[in-house]
Amino acid sequence: MALDMQKLDAFLGRFVGDLGATFNAGMVVIGDQLGLYKALAGEPVSAAELASKTSTDSRYVEEWLAAQAASGYVEYDAATGRFGLSEEQAYALATEGSPAFIPGAFQLATAALKSVPKMTEAFRTGAGLGWHEHDQALFHGTERFFRPGYAAKLASTWIPALDGVAAKLARGACVADVGCGHGASTILMAQAYPASRFVGFDYHAPSIERARACAAVAGVGDRVRFDVADADDYPGAAFDLVAMFDCLHDMGDPVAAAANVRRTLAPDGTWMIVEPFANDRLEDNLNPVGRVFYAVSTLVCTPNSRSQHGAMCLGAQAGESRIRDVVHRGGFARFRRATQTPFNLVYEARP
Ligand SMILES: C[S@@+](CC[C@H](N)C(=O)[O-])C[C@H]1O[C@@H](n2cnc3c(N)ncnc32)[C@H](O)[C@@H]1O
């Protein structure tokens, strides 16, 4: 077999980048957890000064800074031997709540990777792996990664893209947020629409506990409730809006979940479904965003669905056609793509 050495070199070049990125995920988690990025956001510092500011070990910090500078996550000035963050790096790495805040994504990724041994075995047996069976950093990382996007888009763009929903919520409406996780989306909606009432449901009890605590801290406990319930049979009736953020594809039986939304929705109500951005065909998802989503889907979304009744295993790159099919089979007559971002598709379903 004749090897094309140029192609091999190009592929190995890509591998070096990927290997560095894989290790860099751990570096970001360390920098985030220890406040190294926040401490770097001011004046440039030496490694010893950063260690002193953050009560950390100087030698480890020196090595971490070198790794970060080589990654392009930290700036290094060889003339002074000092390290710092550019405005953009500080915005993305040290500003919790900025729309570009990324450490939560690496917290999520490193937590998901802890399930590689379980998933290796699951590939052999076909067993599922529930959301609740992952390292708990997955739940926190998901909240921290998703919340900035919801804060930037949910009330300003996504809800206004739904027919008549923003006006209803402003007047006072009843809303269910199903598969709410830590309740980031529920709390943001409650802050934007104080006349409305919200209930968040999730099958994962520790997430519901955390959501309740977050609602109390946010001061929206008067209009938000969180309960443990499965999407297939959460209680209630006549909701004006049912929302599902990044979870329909995770469910074992999304058609049963859709039917339950239909049952609990007011006759003129709206179901908002937020899903990861995906095209219908595999070949159209072979890009950097699809790469991220397919990998998360292999480790988290698809095995969660496999672990539940139905085991439909839509995956995180289901695409519009498959979601439309689920929605129609659940009893909805109308379905459309309301809006989108590079990372999300926002659908509107009506009875
Ligand atoms: C990727 S997380 C998204 C959490 C939240 N919606 C957000 O956007 O931050 C998926 C969530 O779906 C929940 N979930 C999975 N299967 C479920 C089911 N059958 N019923 C209710 N919740 C479910 C998980 O517990 C998890 O909180």
Side-chain angles (χ1 to χ4, degrees):
M1 191 175 72
L3 278 181
D4 181 327
M5 293 313 287
Q6 272 187 338
K7 283 187 184 168
L8 182 62
D9 281 351
F11 182 69
L12 292 180
R14 185 186 169 123
F15 147 75
V16 174
D18 285 356
L19 186 61
T22 305
F23 278 111
N24 190 52
M27 300 300 103
V28 175
V29 170
I30 288 172
D32 175 52
Q33 303 284 305
L34 296 175
L36 301 179
Y37 292 121
K38 288 194 173 74
L40 274 168
E43 289 294 303
V45 286
S46 67
E49 286 163 347
L50 180 61
S52 161
K53 274 174 92 173
T54 54
S55 304
T56 49
D57 182 89
S58 176
R59 181 67 191 96
Y60 287 145
V61 167
E62 183 186 8
E63 210 65 8
W64 177 85
L65 280 166
Q68 289 296 273
S71 293
Y73 276 50
V74 161
E75 301 290 313
Y76 175 58
D77 182 351
T80 62
R82 287 172 183 271
F83 299 85
L85 297 182
S86 67
E87 289 295 322
E88 296 73 26
Q89 287 165 337
Y91 191 64
L93 291 165
T95 313
E96 181 106 35
S98 91
F101 187 70
I102 54 177
F106 289 103
Q107 191 179 8
L108 189 172
T110 52
L113 288 172
K114 290 183 189 164
S115 295
V116 165
K118 287 182 192 168
M119 279 313 300
T120 306
E121 187 54 23
F123 268 64
R124 292 198 180 95
T125 63
L129 184 71
W131 180 258
H132 61 282
E133 295 176 90
H134 289 275
D135 187 281
Q136 61 161 342
L138 181 76
F139 321 135
H140 295 287
T142 300
E143 177 199 349
R144 293 178 76 216
F145 184 39
F146 287 5
R147 194 194 319 111
Y150 298 158
K153 297 284 180 199
L154 180 48
S156 67
T157 312
W158 293 353
I159 288 177
L162 307 173
D163 190 16
V165 172
K168 272 191 203 173
L169 295 191
R171 281 196 303 273
C174 281
V175 180
D177 186 358
V178 179
C180 65
H182 285 186
S185 50
T186 334
I187 292 166
L188 284 164
M189 289 191 286
Q191 287 169 330
Y193 301 103
S196 288
R197 294 286 171 272
F198 300 83
V199 53
F201 296 112
D202 200 291
Y203 91 99
H204 185 230
S207 285
I208 288 296
E209 271 171 42
R210 168 81 183 177
R212 287 175 182 149
C214 291
V217 170
V220 294
D222 59 329
R223 50 189 181 276
V224 178
R225 206 183 80 224
F226 289 102
D227 287 328
V228 175
D230 198 282
D232 294 7
D233 59 7
Y234 68 85
F239 287 113
D240 299 293
L241 174 68
V242 174
M244 284 190 193
F245 294 89
D246 212 319
C247 60
L248 181 63
H249 65 270
D250 289 321
M251 290 169 191
D253 193 346
V255 175
N260 197 37
V261 176
R262 180 75 181 81
R263 185 188 66 75
T264 58
L265 203 61
D268 64 343
T270 301
W271 181 18
M272 172 170 59
I273 305 155
V274 178
E275 279 285 299
F277 186 96
N279 294 299
D280 284 333
R281 301 185 313 171
L282 168 63
E283 54 269 42
D284 297 326
N285 295 324
L286 301 182
N287 54 55
V289 173
R291 184 190 191 196
V292 171
F293 284 138
Y294 278 125
V296 178
S297 186
T298 307
L299 288 175
V300 181
C301 312
T302 307
N304 182 72
S305 179
R306 176 61 62 82
S307 75
Q308 298 182 358
H309 161 75
M312 187 183 260
C313 296
L314 278 174
Q317 292 288 270
E320 182 167 341
S321 300
R322 269 165 287 219
I323 298 295
R324 177 188 288 109
D325 181 55
V326 163
V327 167
H328 285 321
R329 286 167 64 197
F332 285 81
R334 291 172 285 173
F335 176 84
R336 72 180 176 98
R337 185 187 297 204
T339 186
Q340 67 187 61
T341 72
F343 291 102
N344 286 110
L345 293 172
V346 180
Y347 302 113
E348 177 190 78
R350 311 282 309 264

